[in-house]
Amino acid sequence: EPEVTQTPSHQVTQMGQEVILRCVPISNHLYFYWYRQILGQKVEFLVSFYNNEISEKSEIFDDQFSVERPDGSNFTLKIRSTKLEDSAMYFCASSPLKSSTDTQYFGPGTRLTVL
Amino acid sequence: DAKTTQPPSMDCAEGRAANLPCNHSTISGNEYVYWYRQIHSQGPQYIIHGLKNNETNEMASLIITEDRKSSTLILPHATLRDTAVYYCIVRGLNAGNNRKLIWGLGTSLAVNP
């Protein structure tokens, strides 16, 4: 069964450094998402991406964040200058954009620790 | 904010049915009910979704009341591996750019031996 994959599983970085989180969505899916979950808190939507552009973004997704689909398979989330409060699990999801169903399927997540 | 209300926690004996309730009294006509679960900080796992008819798949059954203001997720024979946080989410289908899932705190289900 196809799965969303994410790398790395755990990323440790120093405050102020740039990080890139990588995702490989399910191959025939067209809509891509990033969510995050701070330890002990709710899952929060960050951004959705379709047809090579941002479709929707939350207030969390400020100028420090960017997304890119650099090739036909990867979908990346970049945080330009990490802050302590960026420490969280980051989940990538994809959906097929069919007319009758649009279920989002999630990857296993990347745990980002900012020191 | 999430449009659903769920009990914070529930217990279930292994092998018994787990019935997880969800209140969504403000649901509108074009909104579906989705259920996901999250096992110990892993990625959320899709379980099932429905509009107004009851639905069943290999993982669970979804019972939606006739007025659509509440629903119940049923795990027919719960196992220890079903211990997880279960999320009930309401969203419109093909809602243009508004595809994001809005998460609540869910129900933490503990399946006990």
Side-chain angles (χ1 to χ4, degrees):
Chain A
E1 185 175 326
E3 293 179 334
V4 177
T5 59
Q6 291 185 243
T7 54
S9 57
H10 191 188
Q11 174 88 48
V12 181
T13 189
Q14 295 291 325
M15 188 170 55
Q17 295 296 303
E18 174 184 287
V19 294
I20 297 175
L21 310 183
R22 291 183 166 79
C23 168
V24 178
I26 295 173
S27 64
N28 61 345
H29 284 190
L30 300 176
Y31 232 102
F32 314 115
Y33 311 82
W34 284 100
Y35 292 81
R36 79 172 187 190
Q37 186 176 32
I38 296 170
L39 186 63
Q41 298 187 22
K42 300 176 186 179
V43 177
E44 301 173 290
F45 168 78
L46 293 178
V47 67
S48 60
F49 189 87
Y50 171 68
N51 201 25
N52 277 323
E53 61 183 25
I54 290 174
S55 180
E56 187 181 6
K57 61 183 181 180
S58 71
E59 291 178 354
I60 302 167
F61 194 88
D62 61 21
D63 292 344
Q64 293 300 312
F65 291 87
S66 62
V67 289
E68 191 179 28
R69 187 154 164 83
D71 52 41
S73 60
N74 289 285
F75 179 52
T76 62
L77 174 70
K78 180 192 291 186
I79 309 175
R80 266 180 264 284
S81 177
T82 50
K83 301 184 282 249
L84 295 176
E85 53 265 38
D86 293 327
S87 294
M89 284 290 291
Y90 287 80
F91 297 109
C92 173
S94 68
S95 64
L97 194 61
K98 293 180 184 177
S99 60
S100 59
T101 180
D102 190 27
T103 300
Q104 295 177 30
Y105 296 91
F106 285 77
T110 292
R111 179 175 300 281
L112 177 65
T113 302
V114 183
L115 302 175
Chain B
D1 285 350
K3 295 181 65 172
T4 61
T5 304
Q6 299 178 252
S9 63
M10 292 184 66
D11 286 292
C12 177
E14 189 178 19
R16 309 286 282 202
N19 297 284
L20 292 97
C22 179
N23 182 291
H24 31 80
S25 58
T26 61
I27 194 170
S28 59
N30 67 344
E31 289 183 317
Y32 280 63
V33 180
Y34 279 77
W35 283 83
Y36 282 81
R37 73 181 182 183
Q38 189 176 26
I39 298 172
H40 190 55
S41 293
Q42 296 178 20
Q45 178 187 22
Y46 166 76
I47 301 173
I48 199 167
H49 73 283
L51 183 62
K52 54 183 178 181
N53 297 320
N54 298 337
E55 301 288 343
T56 295
N57 64 19
E58 65 277 5
M59 289 183 70
S61 295
L62 175 60
I63 309 297
I64 302 174
T65 57
E66 194 168 337
D67 64 7
R68 302 212 319 123
K69 292 185 177 181
S70 66
S71 60
T72 301
L73 179 75
I74 300 173
L75 307 179
H77 306 286
T79 71
L80 298 179
R81 288 179 297 178
D82 292 322
T83 293
V85 179
Y86 288 77
Y87 299 96
C88 170
I89 300 171
V90 164
R91 68 179 283 255
L93 190 67
N94 292 330
N97 289 334
N98 187 18
R99 293 175 173 272
K100 61 180 179 288
L101 296 173
I102 301 174
W103 303 75
L105 291 171
T107 295
S108 179
L109 175 69
V111 180
N112 304 308

